Amino acid sequence: GSPQAREANEWTRRQLESWGLQEARLEPWGPFGRGWTYERAVVHMVSPSAAPLIALPRAWTPGTDGPRRGAVVRTKLESDADLDRVRGTLAGRIVLLDEPRDTRDPDRPLFRRYSEAELEQLAQYAPGVDGRRARPRDRDTELRRIRFGRRLRDFLAAEKVLATVEASEREGALVRVTGGGSRESGESTGPTALVMAVEHYNRLVRLAERGTPVELEVEVRARFLDDDPMAANTLAEIPGTDRRGEIVMLGAHLDSWHGGTGATDNAAGCAVVMEAARILRALDVRPRRTIRVALWTGEEQGLLGARAYVREHFGGRPDAADPDERRLPSSLRRHAGPLTLKPGHARLSAYFNVDNGTGRIRGIYTQQNPAAAPIFEAWLRPLHDLGARTVSNRSTGSTDHVPFDAVGLPAFQFIQDEADYSTRTHHTNLDVYDRVQRDDLVQASVVLASFAYHAAMREERFPRKPLPRESSPERTPAPDEHTHATGF
C-alpha cells in the first residue's frame, strides 16, 4: 500500500511491455486496507550514557511526531492479569516487551548450498513431512494470541505509552521486522512499535535489571495512506498459438518488508520470472499455450494478491458469515461452503512460483502430485549440468502457489539453494542488492524459461490432483502472522 509498491507495479508493467509482452497491465484487487510508509527511525540512549541504537519500526504503527524522550521500563504483558497489574503506570514510558535473548556462536555457516546427500534425502518422499517453511499450527492457540494482541494494542494506546521495543530474532545487528498495528482504518494501531538489534536490546535489559535508570530518545517519521484501499498485481503475457485459450503462469511476489529493499524477498524471484519471459521473447518462441507472468502484491500479509486472483479467475469457497471469522488472518480463516469453480479453472495448465531467496534452482516440489514427477524428471534432464536435477514429492508452503493448489490447480515452487536467506536476509535490514547472487539468478531464469516452454508446448493438459473436498484453514502462515502479540 505504499507509494514505493505502486511505483514497482508500474515499473514492472513498463519493463515487460518494452520487451514485447502483450496485455501488460495492472489488475486491481482488494480492499487491501490502508497503506503505510516511513522515512526516518532514530533511537539513541541518552542516559546513563550516550549511544546510538539500531532499531526499526513495525509496519502500520505510528510515528512519534518528532523526537521524544522517555524512561525505559521492562515488564511482561502476556495476559489480561498483566495488563491490570501495570495499569496507570506506563504513560510516557518506553516499554521493553521481550526477555533478553541468548546470543551464541553460529551453529551453521551463514551461507550454504544443498549438498548432494541433502538433495537425495529431499527426493525421498516421507508422508507428513513437508518441504521448506511448512509447519503445523494450533488454530485455537493462534486465535487466542491474535485476540489478546488486539486488546494489548488498545491498552497501550489508552495508557499513552510512548513506544514499545522488542528484540530482533536475528543476531549480529540484524533487525528482522515485519508488521504491527493494523491496516484497517478506524482500528487502534497502538503506539510506535520498534524492533531492536538483539545485542542493543540485551544491553537495555541488563541496565534495567540492575536498577539503572535508562532514558531513550526516539524519532520515527511514519504515515498512513488512506486515499486508496486497493492494491494491484502486475500481469503480462506471451500469447499462445493453437491453444492460446489455455494458460501457463509464472509468478513471484513484488511486495516486500521495509527493513531493506526486498532484494532477496522477493525482487530476486521477480527478476527471475521477468528474465525468463524476456528470454522466451528474445528467442521469438511461439508457444501453443499463452504464457502469463504475474507479479503479486500483498504476499507478506497472507498471499493476498494471489488469493484474490485465484478467486476472481479460477474459483474458491465463500467466506464464513461470522464477522469475527472474517477478521482473522486468511491462513486461519475457515471458508464455509463448497468449492465453486469458474471456467478459467479448466484452462490453467500449470503455475510455477519463485520465492525462496536468491539461490539457484536445484529441482522442484511436486506438491504431492506424483503424476508430475516423471514429467519434471524429463524436463530437468537437459538441465543437470546447471545443478537442477531433484524432484521431491513433498509439499512446501507459505508462498503464492498455495492459493492455486488449494482449489485443485497444478501449482509448484522450486527447490532453491538456501544461500543466506534464513540466516541474514529474510525480512531483515540486510535484504539488499549486495546479498543477491547474480549467477544463481541467471541459472534460475534459464530453468524457469525451460519449464514454461515445456508446459506451454506439451500435448496434454498438466496432470492434476483430485479436487479438495473439505474446507479447513490452509497451512500457509504469512510471515507477519508469527510476530509478537503487538503485531496484530
Side-chain angles (χ1 to χ4, degrees):
S2 69
Q4 298 92 333
R6 298 181 192 280
E7 289 172 12
N9 270 134
E10 184 55 37
W11 184 88
T12 50
R13 186 200 65 77
R14 290 197 310 269
Q15 191 67 48
L16 291 164
E17 186 175 59
S18 74
W19 290 337
L21 275 77
Q22 297 188 15
E23 296 191 41
R25 63 198 184 275
L26 304 184
E27 187 169 303
W29 62 269
F32 170 76
R34 64 200 320 199
W36 180 90
T37 187
Y38 91 106
E39 60 187 51
R40 183 175 175 83
V42 179
V43 181
H44 269 77
M45 182 165 65
V46 295
S47 68
S49 59
L53 304 174
I54 300 172
L56 293 171
R58 286 196 177 278
W60 292 288
T61 66
T64 57
D65 195 22
R68 301 282 302 278
R69 291 190 176 190
V72 167
V73 59
R74 178 171 170 252
T75 187
K76 183 175 72 171
L77 298 178
E78 297 177 353
S79 67
D80 290 332
D82 289 336
L83 305 188
D84 292 337
R85 174 177 50 80
V86 299
R87 197 179 302 277
T89 67
L90 300 179
R93 302 294 187 95
I94 296 172
V95 182
L96 307 183
L97 292 172
D98 284 335
E99 296 289 330
R101 192 165 66 77
D102 288 339
T103 55
R104 24 178 113 76
D105 292 336
D107 57 2
R108 62 171 175 157
L110 293 178
F111 189 101
R112 64 184 298 272
R113 297 188 184 278
Y114 278 111
S115 68
E116 291 303 318
E118 288 170 328
L119 290 171
E120 179 63 30
Q121 182 180 21
L122 194 59
Q124 303 303 313
Y125 176 66
V129 177
D130 292 331
R132 185 186 179 281
R133 287 203 290 166
R135 50 189 179 264
R137 308 182 73 191
D138 181 339
R139 184 174 187 271
D140 291 338
T141 299
E142 292 291 321
L143 295 184
R144 285 193 296 271
R145 192 162 69 91
I146 290 169
R147 287 163 180 160
F148 175 74
R150 291 183 176 132
R151 295 197 300 276
L152 174 59
R153 210 166 57 217
D154 292 341
F155 172 84
L156 294 169
E159 292 293 301
K160 295 181 168 47
V161 168
L162 173 57
T164 62
V165 185
E166 301 162 70
S168 174
E169 299 172 10
R170 298 288 183 268
E171 301 170 7
L174 292 174
V175 178
R176 187 175 191 271
V177 61
T178 56
S182 173
R183 300 196 318 275
E184 300 299 323
S185 295
E187 280 195 357
S188 172
T189 60
T192 302
L194 296 161
V195 179
M196 184 175 287
V198 66
E199 295 85 354
H200 290 179
Y201 184 89
N202 286 355
R203 180 183 181 187
L204 298 182
V205 171
R206 287 193 298 271
L207 289 168
E209 287 180 342
R210 287 204 297 263
T212 303
V214 179
E215 186 178 27
L216 303 184
E217 182 176 273
V218 177
E219 182 182 10
V220 174
R221 295 179 195 166
R223 59 193 176 98
F224 292 91
L225 307 166
D226 292 300
D227 56 325
D228 185 358
M230 302 296 285
N233 300 316
T234 303
L235 297 158
E237 54 199 47
I238 300 171
T241 54
D242 62 312
R243 304 184 75 164
R244 65 182 302 150
E246 299 177 29
I247 301 167
V248 173
M249 292 189 69
L250 319 177
H253 72 87
L254 192 57
D255 62 310
S256 66
W257 290 114
H258 54 288
T261 60
T264 69
D265 186 24
N266 186 31
C270 292
V272 167
V273 169
M274 294 173 72
E275 176 65 359
R278 190 202 63 80
I279 290 170
L280 294 172
R281 283 293 301 129
L283 293 173
D284 198 26
V285 300
R286 296 288 190 266
R288 300 184 67 190
R289 296 175 178 86
T290 295
I291 298 174
R292 181 172 296 163
V293 167
L295 304 178
W296 313 110
T297 54
E299 190 270 355
E300 298 290 2
Q301 289 72 49
L303 320 180
L304 301 183
R307 289 181 194 276
Y309 185 88
V310 168
R311 175 168 286 197
E312 175 68 20
H313 294 276
F314 304 129
R317 301 179 191 274
D319 277 332
D322 183 352
D324 287 339
E325 188 80 18
R326 292 200 300 271
R327 291 185 69 201
L328 297 176
S330 51
S331 58
L332 290 176
R333 201 177 303 158
R334 286 196 175 102
H335 300 281
L339 178 62
T340 300
L341 303 183
K342 297 190 173 183
H345 190 278
R347 294 196 290 267
L348 181 74
S349 184
Y351 170 69
F352 299 102
N353 194 73
V354 185
D355 180 22
N356 280 176
T358 184
R360 61 182 172 172
I361 288 175
R362 307 301 301 277
I364 193 167
Y365 295 102
T366 69
Q367 208 68 16
Q368 296 186 352
N369 180 353
I375 299 170
F376 289 154
E377 287 166 357
W379 292 359
L380 285 170
R381 202 164 292 124
L383 304 171
H384 284 187
D385 63 320
L386 299 181
R389 62 174 65 233
T390 301
V391 176
S392 172
N393 274 317
R394 301 180 187 184
S395 293
T396 188
S398 298
T399 193
D400 290 303
H401 68 293
V402 171
F404 291 81
D405 183 67
V407 297
L409 291 169
F412 310 99
Q413 166 67 37
F414 291 95
I415 300 166
Q416 291 177 254
D417 277 336
E418 182 72 17
D420 53 2
Y421 193 57
S422 294
T423 55
R424 285 195 284 209
T425 68
H426 186 238
H427 299 173
T428 79
N429 52 332
L430 285 194
D431 191 2
V432 295
Y433 178 83
D434 305 79
R435 304 289 355 134
V436 169
Q437 303 296 313
R438 179 188 182 279
D439 290 346
D440 287 20
L441 299 191
V442 169
Q443 181 263 16
S445 301
V446 171
V447 173
L448 181 60
S450 178
F451 268 59
Y453 180 75
H454 280 303
M457 297 300 291
R458 76 188 308 266
E459 186 63 37
E460 301 85 5
R461 188 177 73 170
F462 204 88
R464 301 184 174 198
K465 298 184 292 188
L467 285 174
R469 294 183 180 180
E470 297 180 1
S471 174
S472 62
E474 299 166 17
R475 295 178 59 188
T476 56
D480 69 334
E481 293 169 14
H482 290 268
T483 59
H484 193 282
T486 54
F488 298 99

